[in-house]
Amino acid sequence: MRILATEQLNGVVDEFSAIATSILPVWNGFDWVNQATRNPAWTYADILRGTASARPIADSRIDKVALLDWANWCNTPSANEPTKPKAQCDFIINGTSTAWQALKIVAATGDAAPTVKSGKYSITIDKLRSTPVQLFTPRNCISFSATRSFHEQPDALRVQFIDPDEHLVS
């Protein structure tokens, strides 16, 4: 950030607000290209392979096809607001976090969950599919049993929300 020191500037600037968009590498199907984006897929990829990672993941261990599919799904128009994409990621990390925790939060902004498929970091999108992924039948399972516990949902959640419209710089 650069500030022109004039008579209007007095003291140290210790608080400021800004509207910013991340410039991240975006996979176009052939190569990574830097561009401004709010798409959760590219934030997810940057957490895996970016400079903020202590141990960046090699491109060969990232399922770029699944990320591109997820990015295209996130960019489709929303049913509620046709002028806006289905999902955007405006993620702020204010403390310490593991990479996996950050991946889970970013994936949740795009109705997805992080996963590892065939040794590659990938994504599972929560969307309607025309063909089933897995079928359980008597032919492929013997003595199968499963349990699922449902946690009691709280009545309310207290969360921190940063309203970008309230913090506009004029």
Side-chain angles (χ1 to χ4, degrees), residues 39-41 44 63-76 86-87 106-117 122-131 133:
N39 193 304
Y44 186 93
D63 187 355
K64 296 183 286 285
V65 173
L67 287 181
L68 186 58
D69 180 44
W70 183 36
N72 292 333
W73 183 82
C74 290
N75 283 336
T76 58
K86 194 176 286 188
V106 169
T109 65
D111 293 336
T115 187
V116 178
K117 293 179 188 172
S122 188
I123 198 79
T124 301
I125 308 168
D126 185 15
K127 67 178 181 178
L128 185 62
R129 299 185 188 271
S130 58
T131 57
V133 176

Side-chain angles (χ1 to χ4, degrees), residues 31-130:
D31 198 12
W32 293 98
V33 180
N34 288 335
Q35 69 183 50
T37 183
R38 296 172 71 187
N39 193 304
W42 310 130
T43 304
Y44 186 93
D46 191 57
I47 291 170
L48 288 172
R49 62 185 297 275
T51 57
S53 178
R55 291 183 299 257
I57 304 298
D59 283 353
S60 61
R61 295 200 50 222
I62 297 173
D63 187 355
K64 296 183 286 285
V65 173
L67 287 181
L68 186 58
D69 180 44
W70 183 36
N72 292 333
W73 183 82
C74 290
N75 283 336
T76 58
S78 170
N80 300 342
E81 298 182 58
T83 59
K84 289 189 175 180
K86 194 176 286 188
Q88 294 177 340
C89 182
D90 298 324
F91 183 47
I92 299 172
I93 299 176
N94 284 339
T96 58
S97 173
T98 65
W100 192 254
Q101 288 171 332
L103 289 174
K104 285 172 42 176
I105 292 169
V106 169
T109 65
D111 293 336
T115 187
V116 178
K117 293 179 188 172
S118 303
K120 290 186 174 187
Y121 287 87
S122 188
I123 198 79
T124 301
I125 308 168
D126 185 15
K127 67 178 181 178
L128 185 62
R129 299 185 188 271
S130 58

